[in-house]
Amino acid sequence: MAYCSATGTKTTRQALQKAGWRALAVATGHNWDSQPFLPYALDNGAWSAHVNGKPFDVGAFERLLNWSGSCPVRPDWCVLPDIVGGGLKSLDFSLSWLDVVSKFSELNLLAVQDGMTPADVDGLVGSGIGIFVGGSTEWKLKTLGDWGRFCRGRCYLHVGRVNTVRRITYCSNAGADSFDGTSVCRFPVNLGRLERARRQQGFQF
């Protein structure tokens, strides 16, 4: 499954809808309720805050949860709040939010970070908790195969920041269930190329 960061551009949303893509509603973003309405997942906004040199915005994340709670459609999943590059400290932070977020989403994803290994989350994942491969780009690509083998037959696997054909191939090889990116939101012309790659790699919608 492919997710694109939420965009308010109607023509882009229509193209995403036709292609079977879904929206990633980011806490620090906008356009959550733009039309046509797309099936969606929730992102806590930690990466966006990190890139902009800001702390995690608790208020923005809580507003996103409340918005989702008012929607007639439940989210596919939600990324639990995390600390970018925070290792095991990030894992503890994510788990501290689990009870709150579980009220809004039946499937919640632990964002694994640089330095973490499958052994760190063994026993935590299952039908209601999956893995979101975050972290630095270098670490993500280096360890993606390990996370794929760990999650196979055990839990849901999502990969963040996938904006090229090559990375879609990496996701497919790892057995990922879904991926997200900003490429189509920023440059709608890229949808055709990325959608062809998604279908060639066997991602379904």
Side-chain angles (χ1 to χ4, degrees):
M1 185 65 66
Y3 291 82
C4 175
S5 298
T7 171
T9 304
K10 185 175 182 179
T11 54
T12 301
R13 293 180 74 91
Q14 289 174 331
L16 290 169
Q17 183 183 52
K18 183 177 180 179
W21 286 46
R22 299 184 173 217
L24 184 65
V26 183
T28 51
H30 306 282
N31 307 307
W32 302 336
D33 56 356
S34 296
Q35 298 298 319
F37 187 83
L38 300 174
Y40 67 98
L42 303 175
D43 182 276
N44 62 61
W47 173 257
S48 176
H50 171 75
V51 169
N52 290 292
K54 297 180 179 180
F56 175 64
D57 193 333
V58 174
F61 181 56
E62 290 177 337
R63 285 191 292 275
L64 178 66
L65 291 177
N66 289 329
W67 167 80
S68 178
S70 69
C71 285
V73 179
R74 298 274 284 180
D76 296 334
W77 42 262
C78 179
V79 187
L80 293 165
D82 59 300
I83 302 171
V84 178
L88 294 180
K89 184 178 180 181
S90 176
L91 177 59
D92 290 339
F93 183 57
S94 296
L95 292 175
S96 73
W97 276 90
L98 183 58
D99 287 344
V100 172
V101 178
S102 293
K103 298 174 183 177
F104 299 88
S105 175
E106 296 177 3
L107 173 60
N108 298 299
L109 307 184
L110 292 168
V112 293
Q113 306 287 345
D114 297 44
M116 292 178 61
T117 69
D120 295 322
V121 296
D122 192 16
L124 295 175
V125 300
S127 60
I129 301 180
I131 294 296
F132 179 107
V133 184
S136 67
T137 299
E138 180 181 5
W139 180 82
K140 180 199 303 286
L141 298 180
K142 181 180 180 181
T143 63
L144 183 53
D146 295 333
W147 291 109
R149 285 185 289 274
F150 170 74
C151 293
R152 191 167 295 122
R154 185 192 307 238
C155 69
Y156 193 95
L157 175 63
H158 178 88
V159 185
R161 304 198 314 277
V162 175
N163 293 299
T164 64
V165 170
R166 176 176 292 184
R167 291 195 189 175
I168 290 176
T169 302
Y170 289 157
C171 291
S172 177
N173 291 341
D177 295 289
S178 58
F179 64 86
D180 75 81
T182 59
S183 178
V184 174
C185 174
R186 298 173 61 193
F187 308 105
V189 69
N190 288 337
L191 176 60
R193 178 170 53 84
L194 297 182
E195 173 59 10
R196 286 191 295 272
R198 180 174 80 110
R199 289 179 178 274
Q200 289 170 359
Q201 294 299 328
F203 282 97
Q204 302 296 318
F205 61 88

